[in-house]
Amino acid sequence: MLKADFAGKRALVTGGASGIGLATARALAACGAAVAVNHLADDPRGPEAVTAIREAGGTALAAPGDVSNPEQAAAMVEAAAKALGGLDILINNAATPGSLEPIPFADLDAMTEEFWGKLLSTNLVGPFRCTRAAVPYLRESRGCIVSTASIAGMGGNASSLAYGAAKAGLINLTRNLAKALGPEIRVNAVAPGLTRTPWTDTWPAERKDRSVANTMLLRMVEPEDVADAMVYLCANKAVTGQTVVVDCGRMF
């Protein structure tokens, strides 16, 4: 685990109940930050994540709320910032693939208005909502934002056309928010490749093996790999407007 000194820092991690979000929340807490773990209100993994961080010696609190809902997203960020006494780090990680199985790009009929709306509202507008609500606190602390993008937003394989487009939008949003919010707030993103998460755990081994065979390191990305990149981007005060690829050397 990459180590940094975040003692006294206050962080909010959206989608922090599992996978990349949980690994990042744990990493930030291990570096000394007090962490608000965002999760859906009915997801028992959220309180479990908070308990696990506390049992490991970290400081954590629950921040329930749905980033795809405008009112809930804003209220969640406000509540978390007030409970923490401010905000230094925002990790925009909450996202959804929209389906249990990847959807072939050629299946345009599966790209319904409802499907597009769900993915864009969660994966693209959701990070913007949380950022907008967090800006007053981050500006005061001269803090930072790191979002979870994807190599799908750079032309890599995606779970669907809508997912790839939303992540491409997030990469563009990252660059432009860095311009808009600097110099007080740094804004970056991490673009993971195929990562071991609760969603990909259900995939057939053959599908994952094909993807791994197209990487230089011949392995999947682990959530902790992405968390290390998040920690680096939070700690390095000379980096902004960047999207760091963590994909084990994926060869498109």
Side-chain angles (χ1 to χ4, degrees):
M1 178 186 296
L2 184 65
K3 297 292 286 185
D5 184 5
F6 292 146
K9 300 297 184 182
R10 302 144 301 179
L12 168 60
V13 180
T14 70
S18 66
I20 291 170
L22 177 56
T24 302
R26 285 175 168 167
L28 292 171
C31 292
V35 183
V37 180
N38 164 252
H39 58 91
L40 294 175
D42 60 354
D43 189 347
R45 297 175 300 175
E48 290 169 2
V50 170
T51 298
I53 291 171
R54 289 175 176 172
E55 289 178 345
T59 301
L61 57 89
D66 184 351
V67 305
S68 72
N69 181 292
E71 291 76 20
Q72 285 191 38
M76 179 273 294
V77 174
E78 290 285 343
K82 288 180 180 178
L84 292 170
L87 201 60
D88 300 276
I89 298 168
L90 170 63
I91 305 294
N92 282 317
N93 173 73
T96 179
S99 63
L100 295 177
E101 293 290 328
I103 299 172
F105 285 4
D107 188 0
L108 300 185
D109 289 339
M111 299 293 100
T112 63
E113 292 287 336
E114 181 182 8
F115 187 85
W116 272 103
K118 178 179 181 180
L119 264 69
L120 290 174
S121 186
T122 304
N123 300 355
L124 179 56
V125 187
F128 174 77
R129 293 184 183 111
C130 294
T131 294
R132 181 170 56 190
V135 159
Y137 302 98
L138 295 173
R139 186 167 281 141
E140 181 178 352
S141 65
R142 298 186 74 87
C144 66
I145 300 165
V146 184
S147 298
T148 304
S150 171
I151 62 169
M154 299 176 167
N157 291 336
S159 59
S160 69
L161 284 173
Y163 184 87
K167 291 299 187 178
L170 184 57
I171 291 169
N172 180 271
L173 181 65
T174 294
R175 185 74 176 178
N176 288 330
L177 281 174
K179 297 174 185 177
L181 301 178
E184 293 90 356
I185 302 171
R186 295 183 298 108
V187 187
N188 293 290
V190 179
L194 177 63
T195 305
R196 196 183 311 278
T197 67
W199 181 56
T200 60
D201 283 345
T202 64
W203 288 16
E206 181 182 359
R207 180 188 300 164
K208 289 185 280 192
D209 289 345
R210 284 198 305 268
S211 180
V212 166
N214 285 322
T215 68
M216 298 175 192
L217 299 183
L218 297 178
R219 71 173 179 88
M220 291 178 66
V221 178
E222 299 294 337
E224 291 75 18
D225 298 326
V226 184
D228 280 350
M230 297 278 192
V231 169
Y232 165 77
L233 290 171
C234 290
N236 193 318
K237 295 183 179 180
V239 181
T240 194
Q242 305 303 308
T243 296
V244 176
V245 175
V246 179
D247 67 352
C248 291
R250 175 81 182 184
M251 296 174 286
F252 293 112

